[in-house]
Amino acid sequence: MGMFALNRLMSLQRDRQRRRLQIRARCGLNTSRGRRKGSPCQQGGDGKSQAAKIMRSSIPDLPEEILFLIHCLMPMRDAARAACASRAFLHSWRFHPNLIFNEDTIGLKINGRGENFHHKVGRILRKHSGIGVKTFNLDYSNMCGFDGSRYFDSWLQIALKPGIEKLTLWLPTTKRIYNFPCSLLSDGVRNSLQYLQLHNVALHPTVELGSLRSLTSLHLNDVRITWDELECLLCNSLALEQLVLECCEEIICLKIPCSLQRFSSLRVIGCYRLRVIESKAPNLSSLNLAGHRLNFSHVETLQVKKLAMDRSNFIGDARGKLPSSMPKLETLVIISQSEVVDAPTLPTKFLYLKHLTIKLLLTHVSRPYDCYSLVSFLDASPSLETLVLAVSQRHMLYQSVFEDSQLRQIPARHHGCLRSVKICGFSSAKCGEGKQKNCHILEAALFKEAHRALLAVRTYIENKVPSTDKLTVREPCRQCHASAMFMS
């Protein structure tokens, strides 16, 4: 974005200079004045060389505030290089608003080179004026073998100044937990801070902290904080819109007060001691929850439009209770590792449901789950546009579940707005994707079932899907299952 803005501004500068020359020519003034032999205006040659000369000659002519704006739009590493190459950018570097420190921006691998990382970050911050910082992001998560706690306070003292808007602190999991200094959250900082994300720290706010008037987004991951302390933080953040809690094991209950009128999004993952969630926030519209014992029956859900739930034995409750408790639901994601009861057939409807994803990771069930019962969701969703259905490889989607006669009925069961269907009965990752280099090898019997299922879909469904719709069926990786394909 920075280079695009620079090129655009230089183009405007050249147009302005051209117009000046035209005006001087009309007035009978000497238009050759100021030219020198060998300038880009007089000589041909390499276009890149001319562009470089134009850039070198044009940058100093731009107003200082425009140069500062260009520099602010550059990524931090590019901004540092520009400051080394141009005096025009050297001054603005001391006021660069986005301080982002990680392996990429520092230009070295963190593992095994901790002292170099500390040295570079400290040197940059000492030369920074501390004025105008909008974003401070420190990714220290790979520094498992180094104790940087003695540096953090001094770095945060430079960064946490009035005007800062985003603060992100990623620390590694260590025996010694860094205690985040709430004392640095001065009145000026609290007035401007909008986004706070902390990882692997201890956070102990008190009633003396004061109001975080501008805070809209709070992310706490593996943070040592009690419910009383979190309650203090929430009550002082009346502008809060989003709360994310991940692996915060000291929190045993969560209560969202009605005073958070703008609060709209809650995500709770891996907080295993948390049992009850209460919310009286009137505008809560997005819920993302994971936990087998998590009770959210005391959450005001009438305005919820998006629900993602990772919980076993939830499909039956979802089909039976959600149409009435979340009547405005538009997006539903269910991840389940165990289902004892099939999805019931009920007259209730999801009138506004547009996107449905169901992932069944049924690896420890005693009987095959009747996946065809999930058609109940189709019958109840007249506005459904996209459907994603995934089943783990140990319990194949069509093995003793979807018979050919049932497959024939699926396209006819939904006459609404359904435009995209994705069916996965295999491992979600292809070989070469992410950290997994190879697929999990399927047993010969399962591979035959997968081949049979694929043939059934192509026979009974694929030719009935309109050209304007999309049907995606995941098949086993041909590279990793070449021998099984040959035998089948």
Side-chain angles (χ1 to χ4, degrees), residues 32-44 53:
S32 63
R33 181 180 176 182
R35 291 186 182 180
R36 63 181 184 276
K37 185 178 180 180
S39 70
C41 300
Q42 293 180 336
Q43 67 179 20
K53 291 179 180 178

Side-chain angles (χ1 to χ4, degrees), residues 70-128:
I70 294 172
H71 209 196
C72 292
L73 295 175
M74 293 182 182
M76 181 174 165
R77 193 171 182 181
D78 294 339
R81 289 173 174 172
C84 294
S86 170
R87 291 183 180 179
F89 288 131
L90 184 58
H91 176 70
S92 62
W93 169 245
R94 298 186 66 248
F95 300 91
H96 197 272
N98 302 316
L99 300 179
I100 301 174
F101 301 106
N102 53 44
E103 294 182 10
D104 295 330
T105 58
I106 294 300
L108 51 82
K109 293 294 183 181
I110 293 180
N111 285 329
R113 304 182 66 179
E115 293 304 324
N116 287 342
F117 185 83
H118 299 152
H119 174 73
K120 281 197 171 186
V121 173
R123 185 175 180 182
I124 291 173
L125 289 176
R126 284 193 299 271
K127 290 189 175 183
H128 198 278

Side-chain angles (χ1 to χ4, degrees), residues 264-435:
S264 61
S265 177
L266 175 63
R267 175 184 171 94
V268 179
I269 306 288
C271 301
Y272 298 112
R273 296 185 63 192
L274 180 60
R275 293 291 180 266
V276 179
I277 298 179
E278 297 181 16
S279 174
K280 296 181 180 179
N283 295 306
L284 180 63
S285 61
S286 177
L287 272 174
N288 189 335
L289 307 176
H292 300 301
R293 301 180 181 179
L294 195 58
N295 182 358
F296 66 101
S297 60
H298 300 288
V299 176
E300 186 64 45
T301 59
L302 293 178
Q303 303 299 322
V304 171
K305 295 183 178 180
K306 181 177 180 180
L307 173 66
M309 176 63 71
D310 186 345
R311 173 188 286 183
S312 297
N313 299 311
F314 184 69
I315 288 180
D317 287 343
R319 181 63 187 90
K321 299 178 180 179
L322 293 185
S324 58
S325 63
M326 300 183 184
K328 297 183 179 181
L329 197 63
E330 297 179 359
T331 300
L332 175 60
V333 179
I334 300 175
I335 302 175
S336 175
Q337 298 183 6
S338 175
E339 288 294 331
V340 178
V341 180
D342 298 332
T345 300
L346 299 171
T348 53
K349 301 287 185 180
F350 294 96
L351 296 178
Y352 302 100
L353 188 63
K354 297 179 180 179
H355 311 287
L356 174 63
T357 299
I358 299 178
K359 297 183 180 180
L360 299 176
L361 311 178
L362 306 177
T363 57
H364 303 289
V365 295
S366 58
R367 68 171 182 86
Y369 182 77
D370 184 8
C371 291
Y372 189 66
S373 68
L374 298 177
V375 173
S376 173
F377 282 90
L378 292 180
D379 294 337
S381 308
S383 302
L384 194 65
E385 296 178 2
T386 61
L387 168 65
V388 177
L389 180 60
V391 180
S392 67
Q393 67 175 42
R394 293 189 184 181
H395 186 82
M396 299 305 295
L397 178 61
Y398 300 109
Q399 185 179 12
S400 303
V401 177
F402 274 171
E403 300 298 334
D404 293 351
S405 60
Q406 296 172 334
L407 285 171
R408 293 190 188 101
Q409 301 178 38
I410 291 180
R413 293 299 296 265
H414 195 276
H415 303 284
C417 306
L418 191 61
R419 290 292 177 265
S420 177
V421 179
K422 182 175 182 180
I423 302 175
C424 306
F426 319 99
S427 176
S428 60
K430 291 182 179 179
C431 65
E433 286 185 356
K435 297 181 180 180

Side-chain angles (χ1 to χ4, degrees), residues 422-473:
K422 182 175 182 180
I423 302 175
C424 306
F426 319 99
S427 176
S428 60
K430 291 182 179 179
C431 65
E433 286 185 356
K435 297 181 180 180
Q436 183 172 316
K437 296 182 179 179
N438 298 100
C439 300
H440 295 292
I441 302 300
L442 300 178
E443 298 176 5
L446 292 181
F447 186 87
K448 289 182 178 180
E449 286 294 332
H451 183 72
R452 172 176 168 270
L454 182 62
L455 181 61
V457 171
R458 289 176 175 171
T459 302
Y460 299 113
I461 296 182
E462 197 170 58
N463 60 348
K464 297 181 181 180
V465 177
S467 59
T468 56
D469 299 348
K470 181 180 180 182
L471 170 66
T472 303
V473 181

Side-chain angles (χ1 to χ4, degrees), residues 152-187:
F152 297 152
D153 283 352
S154 61
W155 293 351
L156 290 174
Q157 285 178 0
I158 297 174
L160 292 179
K161 298 290 177 62
I164 189 169
E165 297 176 356
K166 298 181 66 175
L167 173 62
T168 303
L169 194 60
W170 289 68
L171 302 186
T173 302
T174 58
K175 294 181 179 180
R176 183 179 179 182
I177 303 300
Y178 176 68
N179 191 7
F180 182 82
C182 293
S183 59
L184 294 180
L185 298 177
S186 64
D187 188 64

